[in-house]
Amino acid sequence: MEKRASVSSIETFGLVDGPGIRTVVFFNGCMLRCKYCHNPEMWKMGPLNMSVSELVSKVIRNRPYYRRSGGGVTFSGGEPLLHADFVIEASKKLKEENIHIALDTAGVGVGKYEEILENIDLVILDIKHLDRNGYHDLVGHDMDEFFQFVDVCQKMKKPLWIRQVVVPLVHDNPDYMEMLVAYLKTLENIEKIEFLPYHKLGSEKYEKLGLENPYLDKEAMDEKRCQELYQKYIETNFS
């Protein structure tokens, strides 16, 4: 039987989730409960509303744009790793069509990472926190699965784009920044590092969904300060 997945939405002509013009597939379901999450409506899995063939058909419609721009498809979420069998099957079929595939992930799934990554061209890896206690406090989960996924990425030599959301009073301090730099220096195949300032967009979703917003009173990250941290710690060490 053909694999199906719970898809929240599909964005065409995306420009920020990988190189070139991309079709971005947002899967429902996530085991993390990040305090700064701006898409809590994707936490629950939801109905399996799309088949592999339906997805492939949608993606290849924009193939001329991918070719001209160096783009492709990006699996995002939620957490695409929770749809392992679907991603594996869809990736095989998309590779037959010579489509570039990126995986935007926090690295916390349910295994089958080698099979998932076999046909993935780029991993966009979200770094949450690098101290075990800080990680658990921020996302409500332990770090073991994250490290397991990263180990497989390294073993398979997958290109990495690193994304770090910078939250005030959580990441914007020398201790964390030095920890981040030290960890990134242990990874190979990093092509890009991005700092994303924490913002308040999506806060109203918590009230609509009847969820407690743990960062209701937290201020957004100052963009200038975020850029200064990037220049001091990332450009200095990785340029």
Side-chain angles (χ1 to χ4, degrees):
M1 182 178 295
E2 188 177 23
K3 301 296 186 294
R4 300 184 67 85
S6 178
V7 174
S8 175
S9 62
I10 296 178
E11 175 188 351
T12 55
F13 298 95
L15 297 173
V16 296
D17 296 300
I21 296 172
R22 310 194 71 79
T23 297
V24 187
V25 183
F26 294 95
F27 291 93
N28 288 312
C30 185
M31 293 193 292
L32 305 185
R33 294 295 181 265
C34 300
K35 290 182 176 180
Y36 56 75
C37 181
H38 58 274
N39 290 314
E41 73 278 10
M42 294 185 191
W43 288 348
K44 293 183 179 180
M45 186 63 70
L48 304 180
N49 57 358
M50 183 165 290
S51 69
V52 168
S53 60
E54 289 170 335
L55 176 65
V56 171
S57 177
K58 288 179 179 293
V59 169
I60 64 176
R61 291 174 191 169
N62 295 318
R63 182 161 40 192
Y65 298 101
Y66 308 149
R67 288 175 176 170
R68 289 198 289 268
S69 69
V73 63
T74 298
F75 295 138
S76 187
E79 178 52 70
L81 293 179
L82 296 183
H83 295 273
D85 292 336
F86 183 94
V87 170
I88 291 166
E89 185 175 320
S91 297
K92 289 178 180 177
K93 293 186 179 300
L94 289 168
K95 270 296 143 203
E96 292 173 0
E97 302 289 340
N98 295 314
I99 303 294
H100 181 277
I101 307 170
L103 181 74
D104 185 352
T105 176
V108 179
V110 289
K112 295 191 176 182
Y113 298 142
E114 290 191 9
E115 292 178 78
I116 291 171
L117 291 171
E118 183 177 356
N119 289 299
I120 299 298
D121 300 294
L122 170 68
V123 175
I124 303 172
L125 182 66
D126 296 325
I127 303 288
K128 305 299 184 180
H129 204 288
L130 288 167
D131 171 78
R132 285 187 176 272
N133 291 331
Y135 185 93
H136 190 275
D137 178 71
L138 192 64
V139 307
H141 204 279
D142 66 60
M143 294 189 73
D144 292 339
E145 200 70 29
F146 168 80
F147 286 131
Q148 181 181 344
F149 175 78
V150 174
D151 285 346
V152 176
C153 289
Q154 293 293 280
K155 176 184 175 181
M156 299 180 72
K157 302 185 185 302
K158 292 296 174 177
L160 297 173
W161 283 17
I162 302 296
R163 284 180 170 171
Q164 172 72 69
V165 173
V166 181
V167 178
L169 304 179
V170 177
H171 304 108
D172 60 337
N173 60 81
D175 288 344
Y176 182 78
M177 285 294 150
E178 289 168 8
M179 186 188 310
L180 175 65
V181 168
Y183 178 69
L184 295 181
K185 284 183 175 179
T186 70
L187 302 182
E188 299 178 351
N189 305 314
I190 294 179
E191 295 185 346
K192 187 176 184 178
I193 302 171
E194 298 177 301
F195 276 12
L196 307 177
Y198 162 72
H199 58 70
K200 304 286 285 185
L201 299 177
S203 295
E204 73 285 350
K205 294 179 181 179
Y206 286 83
E207 184 175 356
K208 290 180 180 179
L209 293 168
L211 298 171
E212 179 184 357
N213 183 351
Y215 277 178
L216 179 64
D217 298 322
K218 182 174 283 293
E219 296 295 325
M221 182 68 198
D222 181 77
E223 293 188 13
K224 182 179 179 182
R225 169 65 174 156
C226 191
Q227 180 60 27
E228 289 172 349
L229 290 169
Y230 184 88
Q231 291 172 339
K232 180 176 181 179
Y233 290 98
I234 301 304
E235 289 184 359
T236 299
N237 288 280
F238 298 97
S239 59

